[in-house]
Amino acid sequence: MRYSTQFLLSAMAPEQFPAPSVPEIAFLGRSNVGKSSLLNTLAGEKAAKVSSTPGRTRAINFFALLDESQRRRLVFADLPGYGYAKISKSISAEWPKFIEPYLAERDALGLCVCLVDSNVPPQQRDAQLLDWLRSVDRHFVVVATKIDRLSGNERTRNLTALRKGLEIDDVLPVSAKTGAGLKELWARIEAVRIGS
Ligand code: GDP
């Protein structure tokens, strides 16, 4: 299905979250993982631009995806990129205080799309986030970005390392550059809509 994207708002506190309506999909990942590029291909340039506007990079940016008859079908929540230097005990130590309530308590949240870079070995910071999502019973899919940069052998090796290091059964390789894997990712996202 073709959607058009409508920017809803940037939230810096739980009171500002939009009234829950349709299922929400959250996008998470360390800075530089390729989140803007992926959003750009999934939801259009406007979404990526809004999310990278100064002042909005530390917010949760909400977008509605509208079908042909302008009905709201899904909401994308673009979460601030987290850092890669610090390893902290609490998942939210380097995150604004409203992120954890969003992920833990938002009833409309149907799926977390967790981005990891396929060119980078498994990171403790990402493993921590996944552990935490498991602890709050969130559905998530781990997406390995920038897969176009890897040869066939490297691809297999790196994806295996990610599965092991992050203790996951499945990782979905994608490329915002070539479009590889995006059909599968859409299928996962739309299954949330149908399933709820
Ligand atoms: P963000 O900080 O997570 O939003 O990451 P960006 O989307 O800004 O991407 C970070 C860098 O990775 C940029 O230089 C992008 O051009 C590059 N990048 C992102 N996605 C891809 C991809 O699918 N393939 C390749 N080769 N580079 C990518």
Side-chain angles (χ1 to χ4, degrees):
M1 170 162 338
R2 298 289 306 159
Y3 297 102
S4 55
T5 303
Q6 177 190 30
F7 171 64
L8 295 176
L9 55 86
S10 297
M12 302 285 286
E15 312 79 81
Q16 298 169 351
F17 296 161
S21 52
V22 293
E24 290 178 11
I25 315 291
F27 291 81
L28 296 135
R30 294 187 305 135
S31 310
N32 218 36
V33 71
K35 188 154 59 68
S36 313
S37 306
L38 188 69
L39 270 173
N40 199 356
T41 63
L42 292 177
E45 220 169 290
K46 197 166 64 178
K49 232 181 232 164
V50 165
S51 288
S52 60
T53 307
R56 286 181 167 155
T57 55
R58 303 295 291 159
I60 303 181
N61 296 301
F62 290 91
F63 302 90
L65 274 71
L66 311 175
D67 66 14
E68 290 93 340
S69 33
Q70 302 301 298
R71 271 188 54 204
R72 192 181 289 190
R73 305 309 293 255
L74 289 165
V75 164
F76 281 3
D78 182 22
L79 273 69
Y82 46 92
Y84 39 87
K86 270 183 271 176
I87 302 290
S88 45
K89 283 220 175 68
S90 159
I91 193 69
S92 60
E94 57 181 294
W95 259 354
K97 285 271 173 283
F98 56 95
I99 305 290
E100 201 167 296
Y102 176 78
L103 290 172
E105 291 158 25
R106 182 79 167 169
D107 288 337
L109 179 57
L111 181 69
C112 296
V113 177
C114 301
L115 309 182
V116 296
D117 191 330
S118 65
N119 299 253
V120 174
Q123 299 291 304
Q124 198 177 340
R125 196 70 189 73
D126 294 321
Q128 263 182 336
L129 172 68
L130 298 183
D131 276 345
W132 187 81
L133 290 174
R134 287 182 189 105
S135 77
V136 293
D137 282 334
R138 280 298 177 200
H139 291 296
F140 61 79
V141 54
V142 178
V143 166
T145 62
K146 310 182 195 177
I147 198 71
D148 59 278
R149 288 193 181 159
L150 298 174
S151 71
N153 282 343
E154 289 172 319
R155 211 174 270 210
T156 310
R157 196 166 51 233
N158 289 12
L159 293 176
T160 304
L162 284 171
R163 274 196 299 268
K164 274 194 187 147
L166 301 176
E167 298 179 46
I168 47 174
D169 296 330
D170 210 16
V171 56
L172 180 61
V174 303
S175 166
K177 198 171 171 185
T178 65
L182 296 185
K183 245 188 177 169
E184 291 83 347
L185 179 55
W186 266 121
R188 298 291 286 267
I189 289 171
E190 297 205 301
V192 175
R193 177 168 66 76
I194 292 157
S196 55

